[in-house]
Structure formats: structure tokens, C-alpha cells
Amino acid sequence: MWAERIDEAIAAVEQREEERQQGEERRPVTPDRIVELSIGVGARPVEVHVDGCYSARKRHRAITREQTLAALATFEYRRAGSLP
């Protein structure tokens, strides 16, 4: 009786570990960069972040290096402390 319960518990732990490993293998690749978009239809890029950046907000999507360069080319740059 106890041996059966122990065997079932071991089998359950092994099953969970196998599922966890499969989940790790199937997880999509983490993007290097994300772009934050403005609100509305035809949303344009507002900010570019590295993935995992603490200041990235809700409206973002993963982008490639080429898309990052294109997004950066559309930004208006201002010096810190200058008026808009």
C-alpha cells in the first residue's frame, strides 16, 4: 500500500519534471529589442527598449535589428534640457 503511493508520487514528480523540460525547450526565443508604440490606428514607434527593460510599457512588440534601425531613424532627437 505505501509502496504504491510512493511509486505514484515518484511517477508524478518525474512527469512534472518532464513537462517542465518540454516547456523550457518549446519556449519562444526572447527578443533582443522591443518597440513601444503610440496609441491609435497606425501607431508609430515611440521608444525602443532592450528586452527586459523595466521601463517598457504595455504597447510593445518584438522587433529585429533592421526594424530597430528604421524605428530609430523616425525619432525626433532633442537635447536634454531643451524646450520642445
Side-chain angles (χ1 to χ4, degrees), residues 16-67:
R16 282 194 302 268
E17 180 62 24
E18 183 179 329
E19 290 172 356
R20 187 193 64 76
Q21 287 177 351
Q22 288 177 354
E24 288 289 326
E25 293 169 359
R26 293 178 183 169
R27 179 172 288 147
V29 176
T30 305
D32 292 338
R33 299 161 193 89
I34 55 175
V35 65
E36 186 174 336
L37 303 171
S38 62
I39 299 174
V41 176
R44 51 186 193 75
V46 178
E47 295 179 348
V48 175
H49 303 272
V50 293
D51 187 48
C53 178
Y54 70 91
S55 66
R57 306 266 181 344
K58 293 181 181 179
R59 295 177 311 275
H60 67 273
R61 62 181 168 90
I63 57 175
T64 64
R65 183 179 188 280
E66 292 76 24
Q67 291 171 323

Side-chain angles (χ1 to χ4, degrees), residues 77-83:
Y77 292 99
R78 296 189 184 122
R79 290 181 51 141
S82 66
L83 296 176

